[in-house]
Amino acid sequence: MKPVTNGKILIAPSILAADFSNLGEEIKKTESAGADMIHLDIMDGHFVPNISFGPPVVKSIINKTSLSMDAHLMITDPIKYGKIFSEMGVKIITAHIEILADINLWKKFKKEIKTSAGIAINPPTQIQNYEEILENFDLILIMSVNPGFAGQKFIPDVLPKIEQFANLNHKLGYNRIIAVDGGINLETAPLVLSAGANMLVMGSAFYKARDYGEIVEKIRKLLLP
Ligand code: DX5
Ligand code: ZN
């Protein structure tokens, strides 16, 4: 796969924290604010204790923006629904490692779809196969909260995991997306960026901001020396 980030930090607002009564407008504002991607938090009430939205909502918004979308599947059947989202044009489909009985199933899924595939990892989950994950998937979504809800507090214990993925990503020359999701704001973003993350998922800090463009600008400024 071609380098996806080109050295840039990707900002992916999670519409879970947007105003659902005004979703089309929220998406337009997200695009004009200069965000890079739209993060879709798909929850089924089984894998996580919350239900969010599914294919009909994604279908209604996907052509309303030129921004790419990544689907974070917090569901017990990522293969079935992952295919549906991929066929709709969602660019990256991410399943939780905790739900995949065998990671080979997700490798097979990746071969069957035209879009990219990622692996999400919950804060308590310890990883042994860092290299295998980096070798086979386009995005690693390191959760910095226990999934289910927007607006939770960042868990700093995940920083070594981010570092491990980021260092190996660099060392092995893969150029994968190392994304961090949960409690990312202007205070926590510098921590995960220093650990080597190259994509920030932001829910509350983005959609509760007065001015979406200003928050994007402030995040980009964090990278300047
Ligand atoms: C949590 C979701 C996150 C969350 C991010 O289950 O995966 O994407 O919505 O929201 P904040 O940034 O508010 O933690
Ligand atoms: Zn998410």
Side-chain angles (χ1 to χ4, degrees):
M1 179 171 172
K2 277 207 229 118
V4 258
T5 65
N6 293 321
K8 191 185 172 195
I9 299 299
L10 303 175
I11 300 176
S14 160
I15 57 166
L16 185 64
D19 175 3
F20 282 144
S21 72
N22 207 6
L23 200 48
E25 198 50 39
E26 288 279 68
I27 286 174
K28 269 194 226 151
K29 278 167 66 188
T30 306
E31 183 165 358
S32 37
D36 302 288
M37 221 186 274
I38 292 201
H39 182 83
L40 306 168
D41 282 307
I42 312 293
M43 305 179 180
D44 67 354
H46 291 278
F47 180 65
V48 288
N50 197 8
I51 299 176
S52 57
F53 54 88
V57 171
V58 175
K59 196 171 176 201
S60 74
I61 57 174
I62 197 153
N63 295 320
K64 297 272 185 280
T65 172
S66 61
L67 292 181
S68 298
M69 298 195 176
D70 80 287
H72 173 195
L73 305 181
M74 289 161 273
I75 62 178
T76 52
D77 197 348
I79 296 193
K80 176 175 172 190
Y81 293 99
K83 280 194 186 125
I84 296 175
F85 289 118
S86 170
E87 278 158 17
M88 267 180 201
V90 174
K91 285 283 165 356
I92 310 174
I93 314 290
T94 300
H96 267 267
I97 197 161
E98 296 82 12
I99 208 75
L100 298 164
D102 178 357
I103 204 166
N104 289 312
L105 293 173
W106 201 238
K107 288 188 204 167
K108 187 167 165 275
F109 167 85
K110 193 190 158 192
K111 288 206 181 89
E112 287 166 4
I113 59 167
K114 291 198 182 69
T115 50
S116 303
I119 287 282
I121 305 165
N122 279 341
T125 304
Q126 298 297 323
I127 298 299
Q128 311 299 336
N129 53 342
Y130 282 92
E131 292 198 13
E132 184 188 17
I133 293 173
L134 282 166
E135 187 188 337
N136 289 286
F137 301 104
D138 310 293
L139 176 145
I140 324 300
L141 187 68
I142 300 153
M143 295 305 299
S144 41
V145 296
N146 289 304
F149 301 90
Q152 302 182 78
K153 201 166 174 281
F154 176 80
I155 300 172
D157 298 3
V158 303
L159 288 168
K161 208 189 281 171
I162 302 169
E163 244 166 46
Q164 185 82 353
F165 272 114
N167 290 344
L168 269 177
N169 190 34
H170 182 68
K171 190 174 143 205
L172 303 173
Y174 284 133
N175 209 358
R176 304 301 191 215
I177 302 181
I178 309 296
V180 185
D181 184 5
I184 301 297
N185 54 37
L186 286 168
E187 282 72 52
T188 55
L191 305 175
V192 305
L193 293 173
S194 327
N198 54 24
M199 171 166 150
L200 304 176
V201 175
M202 294 179 91
S204 314
F206 185 88
Y207 286 105
K208 301 282 176 267
R210 199 175 19 94
D211 179 339
Y212 300 169
E214 193 176 289
I215 183 101
V216 169
E217 214 173 285
K218 283 185 177 162
I219 292 281
R220 303 239 186 261
K221 276 203 186 126
L222 292 174
L223 296 164
L224 299 174

